[in-house]
Amino acid sequence: MYSAVLTLYSKPRYKRLVDNIFPEDPEDGLVKANMEKLTFYALSAPEKLDRIGAYLSERLSRDVARHRYGYVCIAMEALDQLLMACHCQSINLFVESFLKMVRKLLEADKPNLQILGTNSFVKFANIEEDTPSYHRSYDFFVSRFSEMCHSSYEDPDIRTKIRMAGIKGLQGVVRKTVNDELQANIWDPQHMDKIVPSLLFNLQSGEGTESRSPSPLQASEKERESPAKLTERCFRELLGRAAYGNIKNAVTPVLMHLDNHSLWEGKTFAVRCFKIIMYSIQSQHSHLVIQQLLGHLDANSKSSATVRAGIVEVLLEAAAIAASGSVGPTVLEVFNTLLRHLRLSVDYELTGSYDCTNIGTKIIKEHEERQLQEAVIRTVGSFANTLPTYQRSEVMLFIMGKIPIPGMHPMLHSTGSGPEGNRMIQVMLLKSLRQVTCGFQTTNMLTALPNSFLDPLLSFALLEDAEIRLLVLEILVSLIDRHNNLPKFSTISIISDISVLKLKVDKCSRQDNLFMKKHAQHLYRHIYLCSKEQSSVQPHFEKLYSLLALISMELANEEVVVDLIRVALALQDLALSSEETLPVYNRCAVYALSSAYLNLISQLTTVPAFCQHVHEVIEMRQKESPYLLPEDVFIENPKIPKTLEKLEGELLFQQAKITEVLGGSGYNTERLATPYVPQFTDEDRLSKRKSIGETISLQVEVESRNSPEKEERTPAEEITFETLKNAIVDSVGVEEQEKERRRQVVEKFQKAPFEEIAAHCGARATMLQSKLNQIFEITIRPPPSPSGTITSSYGQTQSRSVPVYDMKFPDLCVY
């Protein structure tokens, strides 16, 4: 009895207090009264806190080994309460004991102990410590929690609980370390390569639930039980804490996980992951994610088309989410990368295969490459939509510089790319350009569309390829439409009252006037020549009508209106002409295009007599020749005759009549009365060339800058092979003569006597001096001056040449 009492009192007080919190029956739980005593003692004597922790750890280890799990739970509960209550400087040593016990629980085989340890660690992670720790390591916890996230326990309910505990544990590690510079850097690749894949593994298991918003509302209790929902919140929290320098380390494991598990091809999960990333990171860091995706696209340049298409689709979604300007400082590099992969895809499609480093030669599936190309084009447009106007203009110029143009930009010379390769690249890049120009609006057309962009673009409008011409027309229409009037002209029709369209028309600005003064004749010529193309079909004529209508509303002044009416009448003459070998459909389509546009422009000019004349002609056509109007031509089954007889009289719009009625309203009758004749230039012929080496004969015509359509013109000089040959021979002869003259001069100075050379130089100096005297005499001779006159030796009086600064002015003339 005595020895037992002696042993009891020989124990230190902190041990006795710890022992007292454990009941005889563990089911009774923690003895709260004794726990309060222990807490008060720890607060009163904080230097004992580390010993309390060590003793609790010793007891817990013994209870774990003896499978007395009730006492284990009591010990952890006591540790949790002490942690929450004590924040003294000596808590670091207590924390070491606490983490040692948590580690012991996590290493146990029992799922309940693992979950218990995790819950305690999460409570600890939420405590803000007053003093830093220089030596604490969380490597074990990162590895163990990541392992729990991949648990494959047989019982699905227990497996779910273990995985959720692992997710919570990782969340706790991040919270504990991410803002403390003295702790281990959780952003190091060795940690991120464990944390991120573990989160993605659980996120993928709940792929059916889509990420709905950038900042989801508070989840319900049922959703909190889902590992996928918990993972998403944890992943968002991790990314939201990432600083500028840590974005790469956080995103790289995502890319590797998607690669390793072939998740690019399905697209859905990859898109979901990057939606979470883009919504969670700070907006100013968005361009870093985009740059990493572009780099990953480059690294997968020889992967299958479905993988590349998946990466491009993710880029598309990322660009749509990113804020304006988030492409970052290397705007053109983004588009350069996308266009390079577009060209690679075309090459792969043409060659049918490519060499893959791992599996040798890979056969290409054409439809997969086409899907990739369409995805790249959509992505180019998505990126462009995030840019301000001035950067979009730069991108348009950049893309135009990539398009192979005969005679202007070099053609492709890559393997397998012949004429068909050039054509495919032209089509793909023009489609990309069309995406960039969608929604493009600028107040100054002159600066937004410089010659370096507009000239090559218009040259494409003259190519024989119908698809390319249609793309060019669509691009032009997008650029000119600044008030969203285009949908109202999607189809060609005779509109009796255009007020129902509710068109938005602004007064033409000074910049627009300058733009039309510079480029109007080019636009008219290309509209006219596009109408002549035999391969043009209904979409071409619809876009031509839209282009004419939009020019009338966006860029028209009085002079432009006159020219547009002349162009419309010239189109009618084109359809009438027997010299043109146009099919019957094209003739009817040109007639219909001309009538529809004249109907529109007559109502825009609001000249009643003009409207009446147009209305009378349209009514006559409706009665006698409906196939000359758009309603019978631009339909699925055009109602046109097999042959078209020459039209006369009231079925035609009369230029003389239109000139007369518009002249009465103040329009330029002289210009109206002059038929429009397009100017053919070298550009037209270059654009028709099949290849650069094709032999052609050029007609060089000098045009007047002020009035490009004057009837009196300098006769065109025909350049043939003989004239070129003679020019080369003549230039060689002149060069030989110049060499001979120089040789004679050098020889003269080397061999002639000194007196002869001196006399020659003196004569040149005298002649120079006399010329200078004549110039000075003219420039400094004043009007008759108060200095008087002098008499020459010949008896003639002449004004004395007096410098201005020597003249004597009357006092009244001096201020």
Side-chain angles (χ1 to χ4, degrees), residues 515-566:
F515 175 80
M516 290 306 288
K517 190 172 183 180
K518 187 173 184 180
H519 297 294
Q521 296 303 322
H522 291 269
L523 290 170
Y524 304 152
R525 183 174 75 249
H526 286 79
I527 290 171
Y528 181 86
L529 295 177
C530 279
S531 303
K532 283 180 63 173
E533 292 291 340
Q534 297 185 15
S535 57
S536 293
V537 291
Q538 180 176 340
H540 294 84
F541 292 108
E542 288 175 346
K543 290 303 173 186
L544 286 169
Y545 174 67
S546 299
L547 184 56
L548 285 166
L550 290 171
I551 292 174
S552 305
M553 287 179 294
E554 298 281 355
L555 305 170
N557 52 32
E558 186 175 311
E559 183 180 345
V560 172
V561 169
V562 169
D563 283 342
L564 288 170
I565 293 172
R566 293 171 59 223

Side-chain angles (χ1 to χ4, degrees), residues 151 214 228 264 286 311 333 446 513 529 542 555 560 571 593 613 620 622 670 681 692 703 729:
S151 173
W264 292 112
S286 298
I311 300 174
E333 187 57 35
L446 201 59
N513 286 332
L529 295 177
E542 288 175 346
L555 305 170
V560 172
L571 291 176
L593 170 63
H613 172 66
M620 187 59 67
Q622 287 172 344
E670 182 181 351
T681 64
I692 298 175
E703 295 183 15
V729 172

Side-chain angles (χ1 to χ4, degrees), residues 682 697-702 714-720 723-724 727:
D682 298 346
S697 176
L698 297 179
Q699 294 286 340
V700 178
E701 185 172 339
V702 180
T714 307
E717 177 188 356
E718 185 174 354
I719 298 179
T720 62
T723 56
L724 289 172

Side-chain angles (χ1 to χ4, degrees), residues 480-620:
I480 295 175
D481 180 29
R482 293 175 293 181
H483 293 89
N484 298 320
N485 287 318
L486 178 58
K488 299 160 188 175
F489 300 108
S490 57
T491 57
I492 308 179
S493 61
I494 302 295
I495 304 168
S496 57
D497 183 8
I498 63 170
S499 62
V500 299
L501 297 178
K502 297 181 180 179
L503 300 173
K504 299 175 184 176
V505 183
D506 281 348
K507 187 178 179 181
C508 191
S509 65
R510 179 174 174 273
Q511 291 86 355
D512 292 342
N513 286 332
L514 291 173
F515 175 80
M516 290 306 288
K517 190 172 183 180
K518 187 173 184 180
H519 297 294
Q521 296 303 322
H522 291 269
L523 290 170
Y524 304 152
R525 183 174 75 249
H526 286 79
I527 290 171
Y528 181 86
L529 295 177
C530 279
S531 303
K532 283 180 63 173
E533 292 291 340
Q534 297 185 15
S535 57
S536 293
V537 291
Q538 180 176 340
H540 294 84
F541 292 108
E542 288 175 346
K543 290 303 173 186
L544 286 169
Y545 174 67
S546 299
L547 184 56
L548 285 166
L550 290 171
I551 292 174
S552 305
M553 287 179 294
E554 298 281 355
L555 305 170
N557 52 32
E558 186 175 311
E559 183 180 345
V560 172
V561 169
V562 169
D563 283 342
L564 288 170
I565 293 172
R566 293 171 59 223
V567 170
L569 293 171
L571 291 176
Q572 178 180 262
D573 294 339
L574 169 65
L576 272 171
S577 174
S578 58
E579 297 177 3
E580 300 293 341
T581 57
L582 286 175
V584 174
Y585 174 81
N586 290 61
R587 288 183 185 276
C588 293
V590 173
Y591 276 126
L593 170 63
S594 176
S595 61
Y597 178 67
L598 285 173
N599 173 67
L600 174 68
I601 195 69
S602 66
Q603 296 184 61
L604 288 174
T605 56
T606 63
V607 178
F610 184 23
C611 294
Q612 183 180 355
H613 172 66
V614 172
H615 182 64
E616 288 172 355
V617 174
I618 290 174
E619 274 192 342
M620 187 59 67

Side-chain angles (χ1 to χ4, degrees), residues 120 162 186 568 735 793:
S120 293
I162 294 175
I186 201 67
E735 191 175 341
S793 58

Side-chain angles (χ1 to χ4, degrees), residues 107-343:
E107 288 175 341
D109 296 333
K110 298 289 184 180
N112 291 338
L113 294 183
Q114 297 173 12
I115 295 170
L116 177 65
T118 302
N119 292 336
S120 293
F121 182 84
V122 170
K123 292 176 184 176
F124 161 70
N126 292 325
I127 297 173
E128 293 185 9
E129 298 182 55
D130 296 334
T131 54
S133 173
Y134 296 93
H135 56 281
R136 195 179 301 159
S137 173
Y138 294 96
D139 292 0
F140 165 79
F141 295 101
V142 171
S143 300
R144 182 59 184 150
F145 289 139
S146 299
E147 185 180 343
M148 290 169 66
C149 288
H150 291 85
S151 173
S152 55
Y153 200 84
E154 293 179 359
D155 188 331
D157 292 336
I158 296 177
R159 181 171 65 239
T160 299
K161 289 180 181 179
I162 294 175
R163 288 184 180 181
M164 290 185 69
I167 296 166
K168 290 177 182 177
L170 290 176
Q171 190 176 26
V173 172
V174 171
R175 287 178 180 174
K176 198 65 183 173
T177 60
V178 74
N179 292 324
D180 192 347
E181 295 179 359
L182 298 173
Q183 302 286 5
N185 189 0
I186 201 67
W187 300 106
D188 285 345
Q190 59 177 348
H191 298 310
M192 284 289 109
D193 289 347
K194 296 174 183 176
I195 294 174
V196 174
S198 301
L199 296 176
L200 294 180
F201 174 77
N202 285 278
L203 191 64
Q204 188 181 356
S205 65
E207 193 175 349
T209 55
E210 186 66 28
S211 177
R212 290 185 296 255
S213 64
S215 53
L217 300 174
Q218 187 69 24
S220 65
E221 290 295 332
K222 186 176 181 180
E223 287 178 322
R224 285 202 192 101
E225 296 301 318
S226 165
K229 289 294 178 183
L230 180 62
T231 301
E232 184 175 332
R233 288 198 294 276
C234 180
F235 196 30
R236 287 180 185 276
E237 183 178 344
L238 173 68
L239 295 166
R241 295 172 181 267
Y244 180 87
N246 302 325
I247 295 291
K248 182 178 179 181
N249 289 345
V251 175
T252 301
V254 179
L255 299 174
M256 299 307 297
H257 181 84
L258 296 173
D259 283 344
N260 295 336
H261 297 274
S262 303
L263 296 172
W264 292 112
E265 298 179 9
K267 301 178 188 177
T268 306
F269 181 70
V271 168
R272 183 186 178 197
C273 286
F274 277 90
K275 275 186 176 181
I276 293 172
I277 292 172
M278 296 302 291
Y279 279 130
S280 302
I281 63 173
Q282 300 174 44
S283 59
Q284 66 268 29
H285 301 158
S286 298
H287 69 276
L288 296 176
V289 179
I290 291 172
Q291 287 177 0
Q292 275 195 268
L293 281 167
L294 290 168
H296 199 66
L297 182 60
D298 285 337
N300 284 273
S301 60
K302 291 195 174 181
S303 298
S304 67
T306 51
V307 170
R308 285 177 283 139
I311 300 174
V312 171
E313 287 285 351
V314 170
L315 271 168
L316 174 64
E317 295 291 338
I321 294 169
S324 177
S326 67
V327 177
T330 56
V331 175
L332 293 182
E333 187 57 35
V334 170
F335 290 92
N336 189 36
T337 301
L338 291 170
L339 296 181
R340 183 170 65 248
H341 283 277
L342 189 61
R343 177 165 291 195

